[in-house]
């Protein structure tokens, strides 16, 4: 199986491993922990932004696209990370934040014409920022600039060929430096209506359970404009064969025009789904049909740095069944750091949230059971959740642990044949054919019968005797 259909491990660098005793993770820390990734058997790592940034959005506000923030290390640290990963056969994916820069990027000062402006007493339209409020902020007296996210993140104008050329240069820079691919941040926000028309009010939901303040609008002009293909083609042109995974925050049914140029796009239906059979089935069915440039177009994740960690969201009892599901879906499976040991969000939302509540998805990695979890010898930038109950070292010692279960699944994924088809099943069960195998997961509240076939892997030991799929059970069978 090509690595493109394998497993990508997402690293949030602030929280993975600190190597210089400042309580914040860094690139050298990632290099030091690569053996964990090879032991798990993943194919690639995706590193969330580590570029110079004033950190208004923890690195998703980039002030220099072709350097490393001193907090995370240096360019030689990056080169060492890539070399060490490649030595181990791991591919390296970077985060390309192409929709907006930091307001402190020199481009904003030196090339204001690279951004999106409007003149007047009021903002030109009703577009909203993903984090709430108007997507326009005043600059000097009567000028407004567009920001799809925080005001510290002005949107670039991708209709300007100089912007396209500058970002192509960024892509070429990292490819030459060893990057094997990119996760394209907020790519559905790259192209918007050049006429800046109002998003129409509408009772029709946009298609995903979006943030509350976006409900009641058809967001057809503030994103996803027809001409997105031109921008994506330019990125593809610079990236060559590098793997391109889009963060396309739209229903998967609307991803086709992205997948003409990209290899994969994230299926947000799954990451937003509760543990409920109807929702899960619909999410899988929606995502599994797209075709990207290099095969099945879906990129799947159960957790990431923006949305809830899956053990808390789905419930502990469903942890293994969810893992089995993720690892048997077609396309690219993404594992967020800590998913492998079942890191959760912490009781009662503790530790404290940041201003948009995303801290609870970003706790430091729990490597061992010591008070600082082996993450740092200094006070971690964000409190740990539960290192004594859940950590890599303890689970490595226990072959029945979740960590070992993931490892087995990752190994099995390599042998899965292509081909995917949803199967009819009990209302509470999600079942699909995957190559020569069948998967059945009970996300309902009543027991069900295990479908025919020999059991290859099951979430609980006694399933093979009882052939009873209790709620929270999952099974991989031969066809
Ligand atoms: C999506 C990223 O995942 C998120 O963390 C960030 O805040 C926004 N894009 C803006 O870059």
């Amino acid at each position: 199986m090509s690595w493109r259909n394998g497993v990508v491990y997402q690293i949030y660098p602030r929280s993975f491993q600190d190597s210089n005793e400042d309580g914040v993770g860094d690139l050298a820390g990632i290099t030091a922990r690569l053996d964990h990734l090879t032991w798990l058997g993943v194919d690639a790592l995706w590193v969330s932004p580590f570029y110079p940034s004033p950190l208004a959005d923890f690195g998703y506000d980039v002030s220099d696209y072709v350097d490393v923030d001193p907090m995370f290390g240096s360019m030689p640290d990056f080169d060492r990370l890539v070399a060490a990963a490649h030595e181990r056969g791991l591919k390296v994916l970077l985060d390309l934040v192409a929709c907006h820069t930091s307001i402190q990027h020199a481009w904003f000062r030196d090339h204001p014409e690279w951004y999106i402006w409007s003149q007047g007493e009021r903002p030109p339209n009703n577009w909203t920022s993903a984090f709430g409020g108007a997507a326009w902020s005043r600059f000097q007296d009567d000028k407004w600039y567009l920001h799809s996210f925080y005001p510290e993140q002005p949107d670039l104008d991708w209709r300007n060929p100089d912007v396209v050329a500058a970002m192509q240069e960024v892509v070429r820079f990292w490819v030459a430096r060893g990057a094997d691919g990119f996760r394209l941040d907020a790519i559905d926000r790259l192209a918007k209506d050049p006429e800046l028309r109002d998003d129409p009010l509408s009772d029709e939901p946009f298609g995903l359970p979006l943030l509350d303040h976006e409900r009641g609008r058809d967001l057809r002009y503030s994103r996803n404009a027809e001409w997105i293909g031109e921008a994506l083609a330019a990125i593809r042109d610079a990236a060559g064969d590098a793997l391109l995974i889009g963060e396309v925050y739209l229903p998967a049914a609307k991803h086709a025009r992205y997948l003409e140029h990209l290899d994969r796009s994230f299926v947000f239906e799954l990451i937003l789904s509760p543990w409920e059979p109807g929702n899960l089935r619909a999410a899988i069915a929606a995502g599994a049909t797209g075709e990207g440039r290099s095969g099945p177009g879906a990129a799947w994740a159960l957790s990431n740095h923006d949305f809830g960690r899956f053990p808390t969201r789905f419930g502990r009892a469903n942890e293994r069944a969810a893992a089995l599901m993720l690892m048997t879906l077609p396309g690219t499976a993404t594992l967020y750091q800590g998913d492998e040991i079942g890191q959760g969000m912490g009781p009662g939302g503790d530790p404290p949230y940041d201003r948009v509540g995303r801290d609870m998805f970003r706790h430091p990695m729990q490597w061992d059971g010591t008070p600082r979890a082996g993450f740092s010898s200094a006070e971690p930038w964000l409190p740990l959740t539960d290192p004594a109950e859940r950590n890599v070292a303890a689970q490595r010692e226990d072959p029945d642990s979740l960590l070992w279960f993931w490892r087995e699944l990752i190994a099995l994924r390599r042998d899965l044949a292509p081909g995917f088809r949803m199967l009819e099943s009990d209302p509470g069960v999600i079942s699909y054919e995957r190559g020569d195998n069948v998967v059945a997961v009970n996300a309902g509240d009543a027991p069900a019968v295990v479908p025919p076939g020999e059991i290859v892997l099951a979430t609980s030991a006694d399933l093979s005797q009882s052939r009873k799929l209790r709620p929270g059970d999952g099974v991989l069978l031969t066809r």
Side-chain angles (χ1 to χ4, degrees), residues 175-191:
V175 168
R177 210 109 193 173
D180 302 289
F182 298 88
R183 175 262 191 188
L184 307 180
D185 183 69
I187 202 70
D188 55 295
R189 296 277 200 149
L190 211 64

Side-chain angles (χ1 to χ4, degrees), residues 219-465:
L219 306 165
R220 74 170 66 190
Y221 292 126
S222 54
R223 66 197 68 187
N224 189 34
E226 290 292 335
W227 56 276
I228 182 67
E230 291 164 38
L232 298 176
I235 295 176
R236 169 56 74 191
D237 186 49
D241 277 343
L243 185 78
L244 297 181
I245 306 182
E247 187 200 25
V248 183
Y249 199 62
L250 298 169
K254 294 186 179 165
H255 289 197
R257 63 158 76 125
Y258 293 82
L259 291 174
E260 274 174 37
H261 305 276
L262 309 183
D263 298 280
R264 306 281 179 273
S265 57
F266 278 104
V267 180
F268 279 96
E269 282 92 337
L270 184 64
I271 211 167
L272 295 170
S273 175
W275 188 257
E276 190 280 315
N279 275 279
L280 292 168
R281 198 179 293 116
I284 292 172
T289 50
E291 274 296 307
R293 266 188 34 131
S294 67
W300 309 93
L302 298 178
S303 319
N304 70 19
H305 63 292
D306 291 326
F307 297 99
R309 284 184 172 275
F310 87 94
T312 311
R313 254 188 24 250
F314 288 168
R316 291 266 164 225
N318 305 311
E319 234 167 37
R320 289 183 186 220
L324 188 143
M325 205 168 70
L326 180 70
M327 286 297 131
T328 51
L329 293 172
T332 305
T334 312
L335 197 66
Y336 179 45
Q337 65 179 55
D339 277 358
E340 70 272 40
I341 53 168
Q343 268 188 239
M345 292 193 263
D350 177 51
Y353 308 162
D354 75 357
R355 55 182 155 157
V356 287
R358 289 183 294 172
D359 274 1
M360 59 179 169
F361 321 141
R362 298 172 175 182
H363 306 310
M365 185 70 188
Q366 297 176 176
W367 296 104
D368 61 38
T370 60
R372 286 174 182 158
F375 164 70
S376 176
S377 52
E379 190 61 27
W381 72 278
L382 189 66
L384 294 141
T385 321
D386 53 359
E389 283 105 272
R390 237 173 294 280
N391 66 71
V392 173
Q395 294 198 23
R396 275 285 288 266
E397 297 293 304
D398 173 9
D400 293 328
S401 65
L402 183 65
L403 180 64
W404 278 82
F405 186 70
W406 275 105
R407 185 173 189 249
E408 211 174 335
L409 279 169
I410 292 169
L412 276 171
R413 182 178 175 84
R414 284 184 198 286
D415 299 329
L416 295 179
F420 178 88
R421 191 164 64 96
M422 292 304 284
L423 297 175
E424 293 290 320
S425 54
D426 284 10
V429 174
I430 296 136
S431 184
Y432 47 87
E433 205 173 77
R434 174 62 213 271
D436 302 327
N437 295 97
V438 166
V439 175
V441 163
N442 191 346
D445 43 24
V449 175
V450 172
E454 201 177 305
I455 294 180
V456 181
L457 187 70
T459 51
S460 58
D462 61 345
L463 257 173
S464 36
Q465 271 106 55

Side-chain angles (χ1 to χ4, degrees), residues 10 12 46 57 60-61 95 97 100 130-131 149-150 153 183 185-186 247 304-307 358 362:
Q10 183 193 352
Y12 191 68
W46 145 33
D57 188 14
Y60 284 95
D61 49 324
D95 221 307
V97 188
H100 47 264
F131 299 135
F149 296 89
Y150 290 124
Q153 295 166 295
R183 175 262 191 188
D185 183 69
E247 187 200 25
N304 70 19
H305 63 292
D306 291 326
F307 297 99
R358 289 183 294 172
R362 298 172 175 182

Side-chain angles (χ1 to χ4, degrees), residues 58-303:
F58 275 147
Y60 284 95
D61 49 324
V62 180
S63 54
D64 181 353
Y65 284 95
V66 289
D67 206 349
V68 174
D69 194 291
M71 171 178 288
F72 295 120
S74 62
M75 245 5 227
D77 286 337
F78 174 79
D79 293 338
R80 277 190 285 272
L81 169 59
V82 171
H86 286 169
E87 257 167 45
R88 289 166 172 79
L90 292 165
K91 305 287 182 188
V92 180
L93 310 185
L94 306 185
D95 221 307
L96 184 71
V97 188
C99 169
H100 47 264
T101 68
S102 159
I103 200 160
Q104 290 183 39
H105 196 297
W107 293 349
F108 193 72
R109 191 186 57 232
D110 300 341
H111 297 289
E113 73 285 6
W114 289 12
Y115 296 81
I116 300 173
W117 297 92
S118 171
Q119 205 94 24
E121 275 179 24
R122 270 187 295 275
N125 60 29
N126 66 354
W127 296 358
T128 51
S129 138
F131 299 135
W136 297 91
S137 281
R138 209 186 267 277
F139 187 78
Q140 293 163 353
D141 285 347
D142 60 346
K143 267 167 81 183
W144 302 83
Y145 66 92
L146 180 68
H147 52 85
S148 292
F149 296 89
Y150 290 124
E152 293 89 340
Q153 295 166 295
D155 281 20
L156 285 163
D157 181 0
W158 273 75
R159 303 284 278 179
N160 183 330
D162 293 338
V163 168
V164 179
M167 206 51 83
Q168 283 184 311
E169 229 174 278
V170 171
V171 170
R172 289 196 190 99
F173 174 89
W174 290 110
V175 168
R177 210 109 193 173
D180 302 289
F182 298 88
R183 175 262 191 188
L184 307 180
D185 183 69
I187 202 70
D188 55 295
R189 296 277 200 149
L190 211 64
K192 30 243 159 189
D193 179 33
E195 291 172 40
L196 307 182
R197 280 171 282 189
D198 271 352
D199 280 333
L201 299 180
S202 156
D203 290 337
E204 285 286 299
F206 189 54
L208 286 175
L210 284 162
L211 306 167
D212 277 348
H213 67 272
E214 293 184 340
R215 288 182 202 279
R217 287 197 189 185
D218 172 347
L219 306 165
R220 74 170 66 190
Y221 292 126
S222 54
R223 66 197 68 187
N224 189 34
E226 290 292 335
W227 56 276
I228 182 67
E230 291 164 38
L232 298 176
I235 295 176
R236 169 56 74 191
D237 186 49
D241 277 343
L243 185 78
L244 297 181
I245 306 182
E247 187 200 25
V248 183
Y249 199 62
L250 298 169
K254 294 186 179 165
H255 289 197
R257 63 158 76 125
Y258 293 82
L259 291 174
E260 274 174 37
H261 305 276
L262 309 183
D263 298 280
R264 306 281 179 273
S265 57
F266 278 104
V267 180
F268 279 96
E269 282 92 337
L270 184 64
I271 211 167
L272 295 170
S273 175
W275 188 257
E276 190 280 315
N279 275 279
L280 292 168
R281 198 179 293 116
I284 292 172
T289 50
E291 274 296 307
R293 266 188 34 131
S294 67
W300 309 93
L302 298 178
S303 319

